[in-house]
């Protein structure tokens, strides 16, 4: 199996790897077949609705680590709406492709990102509806 230069670079020097203390949202996803697990932490700029900071922890293959690194790089600084538009094809392009049996690693990283954003949106909507219930 041959990895591209970009995959090796992100695997060997992952960007945004680690934790955020006091995150505004988190997610954890796993693939039951390969057993890989990814966690995403988000800090949100609440006024601008943008991703201020994002970090990941991935227990898994080299491609999963490279995909997590790229997905966090892509999402950082984006609005939540635009970050939800990041898809597998963007990750694959940035990585110069992945072997067919590793394409699911990119899907796992997208799933982790989207789940964390949805977690944040759900929390903020719950808060808003609690507030409006109080007013009524
Ligand atoms: Fe499953 Fe990479 S082999 S996420």
């Amino acid at each position: 199996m041959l990895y591209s230069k970009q995959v090796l670079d992100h695997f060997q020097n992952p960007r945004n790897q680690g934790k955020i203390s006091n995150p505004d949202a988190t997610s954890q996803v796993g693939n039951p077949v390969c057993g890989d697990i990814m966690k995403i932490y988000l800090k949100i700029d609440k006024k601008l609705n943008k991703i201020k900071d994002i970090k990941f922890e991935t227990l898994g293959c080299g491609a999963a680590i490279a995909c997590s690194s790229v997905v966090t790089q892509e999402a950082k600084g984006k609005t939540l709406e635009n970050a939800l538009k990041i898809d597998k094809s963007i990750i694959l392009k940035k990585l110069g492709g992945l072997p067919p049996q590793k394409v699911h690693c990119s899907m796992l990283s997208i799933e982790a990102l989207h789940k964390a954003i949805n977690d944040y949106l759900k929390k903020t909507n719950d808060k808003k509806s609690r507030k409006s219930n109080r007013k009524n």
Side-chain angles (χ1 to χ4, degrees):
M1 179 200 323
L2 220 63
Y3 282 131
S4 68
K5 268 199 330 267
Q6 296 92 311
V7 174
L8 292 175
D9 175 39
H10 278 277
F11 170 54
Q12 284 159 356
N13 310 292
R15 322 313 193 253
N16 306 312
Q17 192 174 31
K19 263 187 195 173
I20 294 178
S21 52
N22 261 328
D24 292 313
T26 58
S27 69
Q28 178 169 330
V29 296
N31 181 307
V33 179
C34 63
D36 290 1
I37 295 172
M38 283 180 198
K39 281 188 191 175
I40 294 263
Y41 302 84
L42 292 180
K43 249 324 190 206
I44 307 291
D45 180 326
K46 290 164 187 130
K47 268 193 202 142
L48 301 174
N49 237 6
K50 277 188 178 177
I51 298 180
K52 204 159 56 174
D53 199 10
I54 176 166
K55 294 230 187 284
F56 78 90
E57 290 182 311
T58 294
L59 257 180
C61 69
I65 291 169
C67 290
S68 312
S69 171
V70 169
V71 96
T72 56
Q73 232 181 8
E74 281 298 303
K76 199 166 179 172
K78 282 207 165 67
T79 60
L80 299 178
E81 200 187 355
N82 285 336
L84 281 172
K85 289 184 193 148
I86 298 171
D87 65 7
K88 178 184 85 178
S89 64
I90 296 173
I91 305 304
L92 291 176
K93 198 169 157 205
K94 292 275 166 185
L95 286 175
L98 280 172
Q101 69 274 31
K102 291 289 177 181
V103 169
H104 79 273
C105 314
S106 65
M107 285 147 74
L108 199 64
S109 67
I110 298 291
E111 195 189 329
L113 173 68
H114 288 191
K115 199 171 169 193
I117 295 173
N118 287 326
D119 173 54
Y120 174 75
L121 293 174
K122 191 175 174 301
K123 272 197 233 165
T124 47
N125 285 339
D126 285 355
K127 256 191 215 158
K128 271 187 212 150
S129 67
R130 268 203 304 272
K131 264 191 199 159
S132 70
N133 280 345
R134 251 183 272 150
K135 277 183 203 151
N136 295 334

Short mmCIF file of all heavy atoms in Angstrom, two decimals, residues 31 34-36 38 60-64 101-102 104-105 108, ligand 1:
data_model
loop_
_atom_site.label_atom_id
_atom_site.label_comp_id
_atom_site.label_asym_id
_atom_site.label_seq_id
_atom_site.Cartn_x
_atom_site.Cartn_y
_atom_site.Cartn_z
N ASN A 31 -15.21 3.04 14.20
CA ASN A 31 -15.59 2.11 13.15
C ASN A 31 -15.49 0.70 13.74
O ASN A 31 -14.39 0.26 14.10
CB ASN A 31 -14.64 2.28 11.95
CG ASN A 31 -15.02 1.33 10.84
OD1 ASN A 31 -15.14 0.13 11.05
ND2 ASN A 31 -15.19 1.87 9.66
N CYS A 34 -12.77 -1.84 11.83
CA CYS A 34 -11.32 -1.73 12.05
C CYS A 34 -11.00 -1.40 13.50
O CYS A 34 -9.85 -1.54 13.92
CB CYS A 34 -10.72 -0.68 11.13
SG CYS A 34 -11.36 0.97 11.43
N GLY A 35 -11.98 -0.91 14.27
CA GLY A 35 -11.76 -0.62 15.68
C GLY A 35 -11.18 0.76 15.94
O GLY A 35 -10.88 1.11 17.08
N ASP A 36 -11.01 1.57 14.90
CA ASP A 36 -10.43 2.91 15.10
C ASP A 36 -11.44 3.85 15.76
O ASP A 36 -12.63 3.76 15.51
CB ASP A 36 -9.96 3.50 13.77
CG ASP A 36 -8.74 2.76 13.23
OD1 ASP A 36 -8.30 1.81 13.90
OD2 ASP A 36 -8.24 3.14 12.16
N MET A 38 -12.14 8.07 16.92
CA MET A 38 -11.74 9.49 16.81
C MET A 38 -12.57 10.33 17.75
O MET A 38 -13.78 10.11 17.88
CB MET A 38 -12.07 10.02 15.41
CG MET A 38 -11.12 9.61 14.37
SD MET A 38 -11.62 10.33 12.80
CE MET A 38 -10.69 9.28 11.72
N GLY A 60 -5.89 5.01 16.04
CA GLY A 60 -6.17 4.25 14.84
C GLY A 60 -5.04 4.26 13.85
O GLY A 60 -3.90 4.59 14.19
N CYS A 61 -5.38 3.96 12.63
CA CYS A 61 -4.37 3.78 11.58
C CYS A 61 -3.77 5.13 11.16
O CYS A 61 -4.30 6.19 11.49
CB CYS A 61 -5.01 3.10 10.39
SG CYS A 61 -6.17 4.16 9.53
N GLY A 62 -2.71 5.07 10.40
CA GLY A 62 -2.04 6.27 9.91
C GLY A 62 -2.96 7.14 9.07
O GLY A 62 -2.94 8.37 9.19
N ALA A 63 -3.77 6.52 8.26
CA ALA A 63 -4.69 7.29 7.40
C ALA A 63 -5.73 8.00 8.26
O ALA A 63 -6.10 9.15 7.98
CB ALA A 63 -5.38 6.35 6.41
N ALA A 64 -6.18 7.36 9.32
CA ALA A 64 -7.18 7.99 10.20
C ALA A 64 -6.57 9.22 10.87
O ALA A 64 -7.24 10.25 11.01
CB ALA A 64 -7.66 6.99 11.26
N GLN A 101 -9.03 0.86 0.29
CA GLN A 101 -9.42 0.25 1.58
C GLN A 101 -9.25 1.21 2.75
O GLN A 101 -9.57 0.88 3.90
CB GLN A 101 -8.66 -1.07 1.82
CG GLN A 101 -7.18 -0.94 2.08
CD GLN A 101 -6.36 -0.91 0.78
OE1 GLN A 101 -6.80 -0.45 -0.26
NE2 GLN A 101 -5.14 -1.40 0.87
N LYS A 102 -8.77 2.43 2.45
CA LYS A 102 -8.59 3.44 3.50
C LYS A 102 -9.53 4.63 3.33
O LYS A 102 -9.46 5.58 4.13
CB LYS A 102 -7.12 3.94 3.51
CG LYS A 102 -6.14 2.89 3.97
CD LYS A 102 -6.29 2.65 5.45
CE LYS A 102 -5.38 1.56 5.95
NZ LYS A 102 -5.56 1.32 7.39
N HIS A 104 -12.57 4.78 3.95
CA HIS A 104 -13.49 4.89 5.10
C HIS A 104 -12.88 5.72 6.24
O HIS A 104 -13.61 6.28 7.05
CB HIS A 104 -13.94 3.50 5.59
CG HIS A 104 -12.93 2.80 6.44
ND1 HIS A 104 -11.92 2.02 5.92
CD2 HIS A 104 -12.75 2.80 7.78
CE1 HIS A 104 -11.17 1.56 6.92
NE2 HIS A 104 -11.65 2.02 8.05
N CYS A 105 -11.55 5.81 6.29
CA CYS A 105 -10.91 6.62 7.35
C CYS A 105 -11.31 8.09 7.17
O CYS A 105 -11.52 8.80 8.15
CB CYS A 105 -9.39 6.50 7.29
SG CYS A 105 -8.78 4.81 7.13
N LEU A 108 -14.80 8.61 8.41
CA LEU A 108 -14.86 8.64 9.88
C LEU A 108 -14.51 10.05 10.40
O LEU A 108 -15.16 10.55 11.33
CB LEU A 108 -13.90 7.59 10.44
CG LEU A 108 -14.13 7.15 11.88
CD1 LEU A 108 -15.47 6.45 12.05
CD2 LEU A 108 -13.00 6.22 12.35
FE1 LIG B 1 -10.40 2.16 9.93
FE2 LIG B 1 -8.41 3.70 9.29
S1 LIG B 1 -8.49 1.53 9.10
S2 LIG B 1 -10.25 4.29 10.26
#
